[in-house]
Amino acid sequence: MNTSDNDLAVAAASGDAEAFSALLTRCYDSLFRLAFRLTGSQHEAEDLTQDICVALPTKLRSFRGDAQFTTWLYRITVNTAHDRRRRMASHARAASGWGEWEHNRQAADSDAAKQVDWLTTAMAGLPVDLRDTLALVLDDMTHREAATVLGVSEGTVSWRISEAKKHLRALRQTEDQV
């Protein structure tokens, strides 16, 4: 076949599958070599080459034949490689803060878990009426709702919460001094 790359490109742009296949067969190896030189990695070069081959039928519609097909294809390859590098750099910048964020999140979760564990243990040492009242209020009940559940006045619930806080505060101060 003595058809030029430019003629094959024009035919492929018009939808000629055989011309596209012949064009791809002719240029694939040199396209891959360029992609390898641009990326320095066989894996990245394979990905880049595949991306270009997938996009080539659409991109061929813009081929006007003003330049050699290989020159035009190499320009697309270089541009695609630059785009991939920029995208990877953007992803790396975006991901770089996540490690620190995740570490901080785990530390906060650990602190919260320690506080919950401490409170659970400390509540076990409270008198039953204070513990029950505190448990209801910590479970997002209003003082009025807790009073209804416990069969006491709303003022009694408020007093019990105050007493529970005093006991817990005293326990915390004792632990901090040790």
Side-chain angles (χ1 to χ4, degrees):
M1 182 188 276
N2 291 333
T3 309
S4 73
D5 290 346
N6 285 22
D7 291 339
L8 285 174
V10 169
S14 300
D16 185 338
E18 286 182 32
F20 181 75
S21 178
L23 188 61
L24 206 50
T25 300
R26 278 190 196 177
C27 68
Y28 187 86
D29 290 340
S30 58
L31 177 62
F32 176 79
R33 280 191 302 274
L34 176 61
F36 183 78
R37 285 192 301 273
L38 291 170
T39 63
S41 160
Q42 180 177 349
H43 176 73
E44 288 293 318
E46 289 169 350
D47 286 349
L48 181 63
T49 304
Q50 287 301 313
D51 288 349
I52 292 166
C53 288
V54 167
L56 196 55
T58 303
K59 291 194 178 286
L60 275 171
R61 293 184 195 132
S62 69
F63 179 70
R64 294 185 308 265
D66 298 340
Q68 289 292 343
F69 173 75
T70 52
T71 304
W72 178 83
L73 182 61
Y74 283 6
R75 185 77 237 150
I76 287 176
T77 305
V78 169
N79 288 341
T80 305
H82 288 167
D83 290 345
R84 281 178 70 89
R85 272 190 230 112
R86 279 192 296 270
R87 225 178 8 261
M88 289 170 62
S90 292
H91 288 290
R93 279 192 305 275
S96 69
W98 284 104
E100 185 177 325
W101 177 84
E102 178 62 16
H103 177 70
N104 291 338
R105 186 192 65 77
Q106 287 177 0
D109 286 352
S110 176
D111 289 344
K114 286 177 186 174
Q115 290 174 357
V116 168
D117 288 346
W118 180 87
L119 183 59
T120 302
T121 304
M123 282 177 64
L126 292 174
V128 175
D129 59 338
L130 298 182
R131 181 179 47 220
D132 292 348
T133 305
L134 185 59
L136 291 172
V137 172
L138 288 175
D139 201 34
D140 291 332
M141 278 195 171
T142 65
H143 287 207
R144 175 173 287 160
E145 292 167 337
T148 302
V149 169
L150 295 170
V152 297
S153 72
E154 194 174 337
T156 301
V157 169
S158 298
W159 177 83
R160 286 179 180 176
I161 293 297
S162 175
E163 288 299 305
K165 286 180 180 181
K166 285 179 192 174
H167 283 356
L168 294 174
R169 207 173 302 121
L171 179 61
R172 176 65 82 176
Q173 287 176 350
T174 303
E175 289 176 357
D176 288 345
Q177 291 174 358
V178 176

